Amino acid sequence: MEMMNTDDDSLCEDSGNETSGDDVDFNVEVETSVPKESQSYDDEYQYEVLSTSDIVQYMSDIIDEVNSVLQLPPTTARILLNYFHWDKEKLMERFFDGDQDELFKEANVINPFKKIPVTGKPKLSLKIRGTEECDICFMVFAPSHMTGLECGHRFCYQCWNEYLTTKIVEEGVGQTIACAAHNCPILVDDETVMRLVKDTRVKIKYQHLITNSFIECNRLLRWCPSPDCNYAVKVAYVDFKPVVCCCGHIFCFACGENWHDPVKCSLLKKWIKKCDDDSETSNWISANTKECPKCGATIEKDGGCNHMVCKNQNCKADFCWVCLGSWEPHGSSWYNCNKYDEDEAKAARDAQERSRAALQRYLFYCNRYMNHMQSLKFEHKLYSSVKDKMEEMQQHNMSWIEVQFLKKAVDILCKCRQTLMYTYVFAYYLKKNNQSVIFEDNQKDLERTTELLSEYLERDITQENLVDIKQKVQDKYRYCDGRRKALLDHVHEGYEQDWWVCKEA
Amino acid sequence: MANIAAQRIRREFKEVIKSEEVAKCAIKVELLNDSYTELKGEITGPPDTAYEGGVFVLEIKVPETYPFNPPKVRFITKIWHPNISSVTGAICLDILKDQWAAAMTLRTVLLSLQALLSAAEPDDPQDAVVAKQFKENIEMFQMTARHWTNVYAGGPHVNKECDDKIKRLVDMGVEEHQARVALSSYNWDIERATEQIFS
């Protein structure tokens, strides 16, 4: 039974490995084409985790591939590829269809097929024949101490080193360092940089800048967003799918946020923005205050009397808090506000009710979202208490493998919390229909079972007999996981069948 | 590194002194200390501009990393120009920032600054007040710049009207430069300038 459930904790042990175990599992299922419940939605998505050296290798593979057709010097190919954001098809198209001279000029490289006569000829020192003067340090050197790019601007080795180091270390420029001469746009290729820079740390920084710009402009690559992680993930096509980095971090490839099924990236982005900005403050103001019907000043009612007198000294309007109409017809003998149906006042009330309702609705979802997020943070404490429990059990003649179910239970708990958290974002933007009612039922079920599992792991477990624990924990987490998958499957089906109608909020 | 900087400045210093612009008295550089880190520059106002006849003194600070980073330059002489702060003398010029190239020299910097005096870039201003006047009322700008050149840079064009207005404010107890700034900023409208000073 245990084996059936070992699924998605497939952290790959080494860089560059495909997460293969699950794919095999999936292929079997394609043949039988029976969706099994334990099959998680995401296993079919293929991706690779690349280390820094893998990335460098991958870059040079692309360059080689392009060069097998274009026959350019690799350094020129790299600059051109970078110019086209590493889209090799686009480069090929431009290369064969357009004006090649124009292409090289745009990308700021010298056309390697055309050795144009050097324009700026070496500045020969007047004093000593057979020497050149460096335009940066103004020292006179033998020509063997001077070097430059195809543009013909030559400087001494020491100045090149200083120049490139300044650009790389201080300005953080990688792929687009230009020749040191004034107004010369020709780019320095990577080979030249590596040859002329002396300090290894600078070289490492340079390589980092190069790989960084490669990843940034390549749609099929993304850095792992977790802090201090140097791995990148490579996919075959961009999709809203979870990827697991070698560091253990799980994130959505499409947007880079933590994996947020069932809610889609665009809505999550909207939600995060909503939570971050202050739009709810203004919602509060409009829900709890009214505006003076005459001057528009914002008013909060602080007493029982509905006869309002605007405190704005230039306004001093008398009006009724209930209907926002003028106070005059209300008189003093009849308090009942009979102005209820007056169009203008009604519109004002409606608008206010709407924003009050919107605020309450937002707070409802936000509260639950935040609550699960908070709990998720606390579950990390649970890991350590569970670890103690596992050690205790091992001392009671249980093997290491036998006690792993406890850790697995916490894993599942965290997954459920994460899913629950994002279901509230999903629900916030969801318009009510029959399917949304089913969704809410699923959500309720999952929430209830998750809380049960959480409570059991946190409290009840200490009172139980060690032998009973295993059965109970396994029952509980399997049920939780089942509910989670049922909920997600239902949402995914809804995406395919177009059940979900998005609410503008 | 500092070695290159000092070496460069020593050589550049000679270059400027020998250059034909010095012969024409258009630019000048003086050393302020022995370590070649601080210099004093001078440029003359270009002919046919409001700055003609004035001599503008510049503070030049050479960083350790020169010539891989640009020298820090500002005007010591007060000047009325869209790309130069009328308060601090800070300069907005691309070659002193991201367009600096290691192969540029003090001589090219001074000549570029001189070119800036004859061709202002009001769309990329350092001093918004001056730039606004430049764009909205070019004659008023020319007159003000000429007056500043006369007062601070030794230019030949005395403007009696300006001097009178300033004197009236000075008589009210306003400091002279403050009066000049206020009047310049409000197109020499003495009432608005007074209002601004005393509000």
Side-chain angles (χ1 to χ4, degrees):
Chain A
M1 279 304 286
E2 258 293 66
M3 293 306 290
M4 298 265 302
N5 272 323
T6 56
D7 48 3
D8 16 24
D9 350 5
S10 53
L11 306 185
C12 44
E13 320 86 297
D14 198 0
S15 55
N17 283 357
E18 294 198 10
T19 50
S20 50
D22 301 329
D23 305 324
V24 176
D25 202 21
F26 176 73
N27 290 338
V28 176
E29 278 187 4
V30 168
E31 283 159 28
T32 54
S33 76
V34 179
K36 195 170 60 177
E37 215 196 33
S38 69
Q39 173 63 50
S40 91
Y41 177 73
D42 25 274
D43 290 347
E44 67 211 72
Y45 196 52
Q46 294 205 7
Y47 58 89
E48 278 179 69
V49 181
L50 304 179
S51 67
T52 317
S53 58
D54 292 333
I55 298 166
V56 174
Q57 184 58 46
Y58 181 45
M59 282 171 80
S60 62
D61 287 350
I62 296 183
I63 292 167
D64 289 348
E65 198 183 326
V66 168
N67 265 347
S68 63
V69 183
L70 301 191
Q71 308 280 326
L72 292 166
T75 52
T76 311
R78 182 192 296 261
I79 291 174
L80 286 177
L81 274 164
N82 196 60
Y83 179 68
F84 285 101
H85 297 298
W86 293 86
D87 186 334
K88 45 181 187 266
E89 279 77 27
K90 218 171 179 180
L91 166 59
M92 303 272 199
E93 199 178 298
R94 259 307 295 278
F95 191 84
F96 290 113
D97 293 351
D99 180 348
Q100 286 187 12
D101 271 344
E102 194 64 26
L103 167 68
F104 286 113
K105 210 175 142 203
E106 268 175 46
N108 290 326
V109 277
I110 300 277
N111 186 343
F113 300 118
K114 234 198 226 168
K115 284 283 177 216
I116 43 166
V118 170
T119 41
K121 60 172 188 258
K123 199 169 166 186
L124 295 176
S125 172
L126 298 172
K127 291 174 201 144
I128 315 148
R129 290 182 81 87
T131 60
E132 287 178 49
E133 188 183 72
C134 168
D135 263 344
I136 296 178
C137 62
F138 289 176
M139 307 267 275
V140 177
F141 294 99
S144 61
H145 284 82
M146 301 277 286
T147 186
L149 305 169
E150 272 83 35
C151 55
H153 301 112
R154 290 163 64 83
F155 306 101
C156 73
Y157 280 96
Q158 195 193 353
C159 284
W160 267 116
N161 178 37
E162 296 289 351
Y163 173 70
L164 295 171
T165 305
T166 312
K167 284 281 173 194
I168 293 163
V169 178
E170 282 176 39
E171 293 173 37
V173 190
Q175 206 72 262
T176 51
I177 302 178
C179 166
H182 183 45
N183 272 342
C184 177
I186 297 303
L187 297 179
V188 188
D189 58 83
D190 57 304
E191 221 169 70
T192 309
V193 172
M194 294 310 266
R195 184 166 55 91
L196 295 176
V197 169
K198 287 179 199 139
D199 191 335
T200 9
R201 277 175 309 176
V202 179
K203 286 186 185 179
I204 289 169
K205 169 101 199 237
Y206 177 72
Q207 276 187 322
H208 190 78
L209 289 169
I210 293 273
T211 47
N212 203 22
S213 75
F214 173 67
I215 302 267
E216 298 286 311
C217 67
N218 196 319
R219 289 172 58 247
L220 301 178
L221 289 167
R222 186 185 276 282
W223 287 114
C224 168
S226 92
D228 286 335
C229 178
N230 281 322
Y231 288 101
V233 171
K234 176 189 158 203
V235 295
Y237 58 95
V238 177
D239 203 351
F240 156 67
K241 290 287 165 69
V243 289
V244 186
C245 177
C246 291
C247 70
H249 184 62
I250 305 174
F251 60 97
C252 168
F253 187 84
C255 69
E257 288 288 337
N258 286 348
W259 178 230
H260 51 77
D261 203 19
V263 69
K264 292 262 165 122
C265 307
S266 54
L267 287 184
L268 180 70
K269 200 172 162 201
K270 229 166 134 181
W271 173 259
I272 291 174
K273 188 170 178 293
K274 193 177 177 65
C275 292
D276 286 350
D277 74 17
D278 237 355
S279 67
E280 293 314 316
T281 308
S282 54
N283 255 351
W284 186 91
I285 290 172
S286 60
N288 294 285
T289 66
K290 292 187 182 185
E291 282 173 8
C292 166
K294 194 172 158 201
C295 73
T298 309
I299 296 167
E300 189 185 9
K301 190 168 177 295
D302 63 349
C305 177
N306 281 324
H307 179 186
M308 309 302 288
V309 182
C310 183
K311 280 249 177 89
N312 180 351
Q313 289 306 303
N314 299 322
C315 172
K316 293 182 175 167
D318 290 84
F319 64 96
C320 167
W321 176 260
V322 182
C323 69
L324 293 176
S326 161
W327 184 255
E328 226 174 300
H330 288 69
S332 48
S333 54
W334 40 284
Y335 177 66
N336 284 340
C337 177
N338 67 343
K339 308 282 283 181
Y340 189 81
D341 287 320
E342 200 184 294
D343 290 346
E344 207 179 314
K346 190 167 183 297
R349 267 195 313 276
D350 285 353
Q352 190 183 18
E353 253 152 45
R354 266 199 306 279
S355 64
R356 185 175 298 162
L359 174 68
Q360 270 171 2
R361 191 165 174 280
Y362 167 76
L363 288 176
F364 175 90
Y365 288 104
C366 187
N367 251 327
R368 280 153 184 79
Y369 168 81
M370 290 298 187
N371 187 44
H372 282 297
M373 188 191 277
Q374 203 57 40
S375 300
L376 196 57
K377 280 180 193 151
F378 289 134
E379 307 304 10
H380 290 284
K381 245 168 60 187
L382 197 56
Y383 272 113
S384 67
S385 80
V386 155
K387 205 173 143 232
D388 294 345
K389 194 80 192 163
M390 284 160 74
E391 273 161 20
E392 187 195 331
M393 291 170 100
Q394 272 168 282
Q395 281 162 6
H396 286 83
N397 288 332
M398 288 178 97
S399 70
W400 181 86
I401 196 90
E402 272 178 304
V403 300
Q404 288 309 305
F405 71 93
L406 266 178
K407 187 178 166 294
K408 172 95 183 169
V410 185
D411 288 346
I412 300 254
L413 178 64
C414 289
K415 272 191 181 177
C416 288
R417 287 238 185 262
Q418 187 149 350
T419 306
L420 274 170
M421 185 174 131
Y422 291 115
T423 58
Y424 283 105
V425 183
F426 178 74
Y428 179 72
Y429 291 106
L430 188 62
K431 255 201 182 132
K432 203 176 164 91
N433 59 19
N434 288 344
Q435 293 297 339
S436 80
V437 174
I438 300 178
F439 165 77
E440 277 170 5
D441 282 345
N442 284 337
Q443 190 187 27
K444 191 178 73 192
D445 273 354
L446 177 60
E447 191 151 53
R448 195 173 50 81
T449 55
T450 304
E451 292 308 336
L452 282 175
L453 176 64
S454 175
E455 200 178 335
Y456 186 82
L457 289 173
E458 216 163 271
R459 256 194 303 273
D460 305 343
I461 199 162
T462 47
Q463 295 137 27
E464 294 270 0
N465 167 352
L466 286 183
V467 191
D468 291 343
I469 288 181
K470 183 161 186 177
Q471 195 53 48
K472 284 199 176 159
V473 167
Q474 280 184 341
D475 285 349
K476 281 187 203 301
Y477 81 59
R478 279 185 195 140
Y479 186 65
C480 268
D481 205 32
R483 294 316 306 159
R484 188 178 81 93
K485 280 177 179 143
L487 180 141
L488 291 178
D489 286 345
H490 177 247
V491 174
H492 298 149
E493 197 186 345
Y495 279 132
E496 275 166 29
Q497 311 278 340
D498 273 339
W499 292 335
W500 313 126
V501 187
C502 179
K503 196 174 195 144
E504 279 308 314
Chain B
M1 190 171 262
N3 193 20
I4 297 186
Q7 175 92 6
R8 264 275 301 237
I9 295 296
R10 209 173 296 138
R11 287 290 308 266
E12 285 187 36
F13 192 63
K14 283 187 198 157
E15 180 202 48
V16 176
I17 288 178
K18 280 190 290 185
S19 69
E20 49 187 301
E21 288 87 14
V22 167
K24 287 187 285 180
C25 301
I27 60 172
K28 196 166 135 189
V29 182
E30 270 172 47
L31 282 175
L32 290 185
N33 62 11
D34 294 337
S35 59
Y36 295 93
T37 54
E38 278 180 45
L39 296 95
K40 191 177 108 179
E42 265 181 36
I43 54 176
T44 54
D48 303 322
T49 67
Y51 310 103
E52 183 172 11
V55 175
F56 299 88
V57 180
L58 299 153
E59 174 190 88
I60 304 171
K61 287 189 173 164
V62 181
E64 280 268 291
T65 50
Y66 186 82
F68 305 101
N69 283 317
K72 294 181 174 58
V73 187
R74 72 177 186 96
F75 276 81
I76 301 274
T77 308
K78 296 203 180 305
I79 183 168
W80 192 251
H81 187 282
N83 305 103
I84 300 157
S85 166
S86 59
V87 182
T88 63
I91 304 163
C92 177
L93 181 64
D94 57 355
I95 59 149
L96 291 176
K97 291 167 185 161
D98 53 337
Q99 291 301 306
W100 170 256
M104 297 182 79
T105 63
L106 292 178
R107 183 177 151 261
T108 51
V109 167
L110 294 181
L111 294 178
S112 300
L113 285 173
Q114 209 169 30
L116 183 70
L117 294 189
S118 39
E121 293 276 355
D123 292 323
D124 187 15
Q126 174 79 36
D127 195 311
V129 177
V130 185
K132 189 163 172 282
Q133 190 182 64
F134 185 95
K135 287 173 86 162
E136 287 172 1
N137 191 345
I138 185 83
E139 275 94 43
M140 184 67 72
F141 164 80
Q142 295 282 7
M143 184 195 89
T144 312
R146 204 170 288 124
H147 170 69
W148 281 54
T149 306
N150 165 244
V151 176
Y152 296 114
H157 302 281
V158 179
N159 189 323
K160 183 106 186 357
E161 201 186 329
C162 293
D163 289 340
D164 287 350
K165 283 182 180 168
I166 290 167
K167 186 160 186 304
R168 276 169 62 190
L169 285 180
V170 170
D171 289 344
M172 287 191 242
V174 181
E175 193 268 319
E176 185 192 321
H177 180 63
Q178 190 192 3
R180 183 170 293 111
V181 170
L183 284 164
S184 302
S185 305
Y186 287 100
N187 293 339
W188 299 92
D189 179 331
I190 195 154
E191 274 167 30
R192 287 179 60 204
T194 318
E195 197 179 305
Q196 189 259 330
I197 291 170
F198 292 105
S199 69

